[in-house]
């Protein structure tokens, strides 16, 4: 005998409210990420300076500055990634806002180190960020054995607190020394993702038009060849 059948119906009003809430959350996370990209670094600096100069919590700020100076080379020598930060649920809302997808067309070897050239740069490189600095598109599950590192401007790592925030996602400075350090791992499994067009390509971004800025930007090829 079959058991009793339980049927649950949801009113259209509840569905619409749920959709509206999801839309609001995606927009809110997008604004948060945009503000983080544009102003969070400067805000962190101002907050620390204010704490150091005008509050009773100045010993904490002084302690952080002391630790920061002793830890200044960490972004260039492996970083400090956090799987917990990479797996935050807010990245899923940011992914769905656009949406951003990671389409796997082939397996990538995990016993060698890889340089991945990205295009286009765009204004904010949000696709590169979500695919390689978060787990919103399930990179680790799709490419097991590979540890992604998204390269960005070294200036970002001169900002206190902010540098720790982006390091947690596996972001690293786009310098020869930093990238070579990651590509020199003998056991392999390191993937460096680099938007080769840089700021020149970002400034040339126009709706509906892709412009690749290569020219003399071939350092990533020398980097790959040098590290095998």
């Amino acid at each position: 005998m079959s058991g009793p059948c339980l049927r649950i119906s949801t009113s259209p009003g509840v569905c619409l409210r749920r959709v509206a809430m999801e839309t609001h959350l995606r927009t809110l996370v997008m604004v948060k990420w945009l503000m983080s990209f544009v102003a969070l670094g400067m805000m962190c600096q101002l907050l620390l300076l204010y704490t150091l100069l005008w509050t009773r919590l100045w010993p904490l700020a002084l302690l952080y500055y002391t630790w920061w100076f002793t830890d200044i080379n960490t972004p260039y020598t492996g970083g400090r990634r956090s799987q917990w930060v990479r797996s935050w649920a807010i990245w899923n809302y940011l992914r769905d806002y656009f949406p951003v997808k990671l389409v796997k067309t082939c397996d990538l070897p995990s016993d060698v180190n890889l340089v991945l050239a990205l295009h286009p740069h765009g204004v904010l490189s949000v696709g590169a960020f979500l695919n390689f600095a978060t787990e919103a598109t399930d990179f680790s599950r799709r490419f097991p054995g590979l540890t992604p590192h998204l390269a960005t401007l070294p200036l970002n790592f001169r900002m206190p607190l902010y540098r720790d925030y982006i390091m947690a996602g596996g972001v690293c400075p786009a310098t020869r020394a930093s990238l070579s350090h990651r590509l020199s791992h003998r056991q392999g499994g390191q993937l460096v993702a680099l938007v080769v067009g840089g700021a020149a390509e970002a400034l040339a971004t126009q709706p509906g038009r892709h412009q690749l800025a290569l020219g003399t930007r071939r350092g990533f090829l020398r980097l790959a060849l040098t590290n095998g």
Side-chain angles (χ1 to χ4, degrees):
M1 294 178 62
S2 61
C5 178
L6 177 63
R7 178 175 298 175
I8 300 176
S9 61
T10 305
S11 65
V14 173
C15 292
L16 289 175
R17 285 195 296 271
R18 185 175 301 170
V19 170
M21 182 178 295
E22 289 285 328
T23 302
H24 292 327
L25 283 173
R26 293 171 187 171
T27 305
L28 181 63
V29 171
M30 172 56 191
V31 172
K32 174 264 175 194
W33 186 81
L34 178 61
M35 295 306 297
S36 298
F37 188 90
V38 173
L40 183 59
M42 184 59 66
M43 290 172 61
C44 288
Q45 292 192 68
L46 293 176
L47 176 62
L48 273 176
L49 286 174
Y50 175 78
T51 303
L52 179 65
L53 299 176
W54 290 292
T55 73
R56 295 180 179 179
L57 298 177
W58 65 266
L60 293 178
L62 182 61
L63 183 63
Y64 176 84
Y65 274 120
T66 303
W67 173 80
W68 177 39
F69 282 116
T70 62
D71 192 62
I72 198 71
N73 289 323
T74 296
Y76 301 88
T77 56
R80 192 165 41 246
R81 67 194 299 118
S82 167
Q83 194 64 21
W84 175 67
V85 174
R86 289 175 57 87
S87 302
W88 281 352
I90 61 172
W91 307 134
N92 297 334
Y93 289 108
L94 184 62
R95 173 202 63 200
D96 295 338
Y97 177 87
F98 290 96
V100 172
K101 296 181 180 179
L102 177 63
V103 180
K104 180 178 179 180
T105 59
C106 66
D107 291 323
L108 295 176
S110 59
D111 57 343
V112 296
N113 299 313
L114 303 170
V115 177
L116 185 65
L118 305 181
H119 169 77
H121 187 290
V123 178
L124 299 176
S125 294
V126 65
F129 174 81
L130 285 171
N131 282 318
F132 302 106
T134 79
E135 292 297 334
T137 56
D138 295 326
F139 181 92
S140 296
R141 182 180 62 83
R142 293 168 181 260
F143 299 99
L146 286 177
T147 302
H149 305 275
L150 179 63
T152 187
L153 294 173
L155 177 64
N156 292 318
F157 297 91
R158 299 174 187 172
M159 304 179 186
L161 295 179
Y162 183 70
R163 43 96 73 172
D164 302 291
Y165 172 60
I166 59 177
M167 266 200 299
V171 181
C172 65
T175 65
R176 183 180 298 275
S178 171
L179 302 184
S180 294
H181 182 275
R182 286 160 175 81
L183 295 173
S184 63
H185 286 222
R186 294 183 177 180
Q187 66 271 28
Q190 303 297 308
L191 183 146
V192 169
L194 180 66
V195 188
V196 295
E201 189 174 287
L203 295 174
T205 298
Q206 296 180 13
R209 177 186 177 188
H210 290 296
Q211 182 168 335
L212 178 61
L214 269 182
T216 59
R217 295 174 177 271
R218 299 172 186 174
F220 69 100
L221 295 175
R222 290 192 295 272
L223 182 71
L225 293 172
T226 302
N227 291 277

